[in-house]
Amino acid sequence: MGATWGALLSNLFWIVLVLWTVLPLLRQRRVTDRRLQVIRQLERERGSRVITLIHRQESLSFLGIPLTRYITVDDSEQVLRAIRYTPPNMPIDLIVHTPGGLVLAAEQIAEAIRRHRGRVTVMVPHYAMSGGTLIALAADEIWMDENAVVGPVDPQLGGYPAASILAAIRQKGPEKVDDRTLVLGDVAQKAIAQVRQTVYRLLQDRLPEEDARRIAEALTEGRWTHDFPIGCDELRALGLEVRCELPDLVYRLMELYPQPDGRRPSVQFVPVPYAERHTR
């Protein structure tokens, strides 16, 4: 009798273990399928390719250690792949929700957007900071929730703003800082110039040269802290055209990204090439 109960408990243990492992996977698959359904519905309504670049991280942690998600080279590879699957003249809607990330990856995405012949709209439901802002600046149109924000794109070096490093050197005087700080200042100056030129290049086709250079300087010079929220009104005051409303389907899609579990992809799109659409 004891052996029978032992076998029963052992089987029950393995059943519970399997269910504990399989059920989250099934639930995640169901959420993924629902996301793709909303993406396809938005594509039909907009006549576009929809790509998402979404990093949810507000409460993600592992063993009490906070984890973060940000724009990576893997993200840029996936977004570029999605753009390659898109006919040159087809519009693209890129939904962006991110704290930023690698400058290299963000610039690759921004340049791919700029080169795409079809109209590109970046939609920001909540925030697109730093590298996310750089991507938004490359688009033909920026659509935002009325409470959504973007941020400055001033470079950060070793955890410090490049502009602040230069300001500290100016305040103390070059003769009163060590060689390492001087080298860091040189790199900071180059980083600011490089990012400023990138922003100007992204804007020059859509704005007068003077306006493009003024906006590029404002966003890269360290006028604000790196996490300063720039909303619709501030963007318009800078001289950028922004539409402060989003399709309802964008909000429905965001509801399917409640919080990450480390297995959710940051970039999603329907992974098949689309046929060219001919208009009369």
Side-chain angles (χ1 to χ4, degrees):
M1 186 68 178
T4 302
W5 276 106
L8 181 61
L9 290 175
S10 178
N11 292 336
L12 183 61
F13 169 79
W14 287 110
I15 291 172
V16 171
L17 183 61
V18 169
L19 291 176
W20 183 270
T21 304
V22 172
L23 287 179
L25 296 177
L26 295 176
R27 184 167 56 249
Q28 182 56 42
R29 178 58 185 269
R30 186 170 64 252
V31 171
T32 299
D33 290 343
R34 290 175 61 194
R35 290 178 190 165
L36 291 176
Q37 290 173 6
V38 176
I39 287 174
R40 289 306 301 268
Q41 186 177 351
L42 184 58
E43 287 180 336
R44 287 192 295 268
E45 290 189 4
R46 298 267 301 159
S48 66
R49 157 84 74 181
V50 173
I51 308 170
T52 68
L53 179 61
I54 297 174
H55 299 112
R56 295 304 302 264
Q57 63 180 65
E58 289 84 351
S59 66
L60 177 64
S61 65
F62 177 70
L63 298 178
I65 302 173
L67 303 177
T68 59
R69 300 184 69 192
Y70 51 86
I71 301 171
T72 65
V73 172
D74 180 64
D75 288 333
S76 65
E77 289 177 352
Q78 292 297 319
V79 173
L80 267 58
R81 178 169 169 252
I83 294 175
R84 286 196 301 271
Y85 276 171
T86 306
N89 295 314
M90 176 179 279
I92 289 177
D93 292 325
L94 178 58
I95 302 171
V96 180
H97 174 84
T98 181
L102 296 178
V103 174
L104 169 63
E107 285 191 10
Q108 284 183 308
I109 296 172
E111 287 294 338
I113 288 174
R114 185 178 71 87
R115 293 191 182 100
H116 184 69
R117 293 206 301 266
R119 193 160 190 81
V120 178
T121 302
V122 166
M123 300 182 179
V124 183
H126 188 48
Y127 65 84
M129 307 299 286
S130 190
T133 303
L134 196 66
I135 292 170
L137 293 173
D140 299 293
E141 293 183 298
I142 302 175
W143 291 16
M144 301 170 59
D145 180 84
E146 62 180 355
N147 297 307
V149 296
V150 296
V153 294
D154 54 311
Q156 310 292 296
L157 298 176
Y160 297 100
S164 297
I165 294 172
L166 294 176
I169 293 174
R170 287 195 300 269
Q171 184 173 350
K172 294 190 69 174
E175 69 282 354
K176 294 183 179 179
V177 298
D178 57 27
D179 291 345
R180 181 180 181 279
T181 304
L182 289 175
V183 170
L184 197 60
D186 179 66
V187 175
Q189 191 170 14
K190 293 175 181 175
I192 292 174
Q194 290 168 188
V195 175
R196 182 171 298 169
Q197 181 61 28
T198 297
V199 175
Y200 168 72
R201 186 170 65 251
L202 296 175
L203 297 175
Q204 65 178 343
D205 294 336
R206 306 197 314 275
L207 296 173
E209 179 177 353
E210 182 178 349
D211 290 343
R213 293 195 181 280
R214 176 180 52 79
I215 294 172
E217 181 175 359
L219 293 175
T220 60
E221 68 181 357
R223 178 181 303 183
W224 305 289
T225 59
H226 193 60
D227 60 351
F228 179 76
I230 304 174
C232 288
D233 292 339
E234 290 83 0
L235 287 176
R236 287 169 174 165
L238 283 174
L240 290 167
E241 293 187 9
V242 184
R243 178 173 175 174
C244 296
E245 60 178 326
L246 293 175
D248 289 339
L249 284 173
V250 173
Y251 298 110
R252 286 178 54 188
L253 183 61
M254 288 299 296
E255 290 174 358
L256 300 175
Y257 289 84
Q259 290 295 346
D261 61 6
R263 292 188 296 271
R264 294 175 182 155
S266 300
V267 178
Q268 278 193 299
F269 59 97
V270 181
V272 295
Y274 285 173
E276 181 74 69
R277 294 189 179 184
H278 299 284
T279 57
R280 294 182 179 179

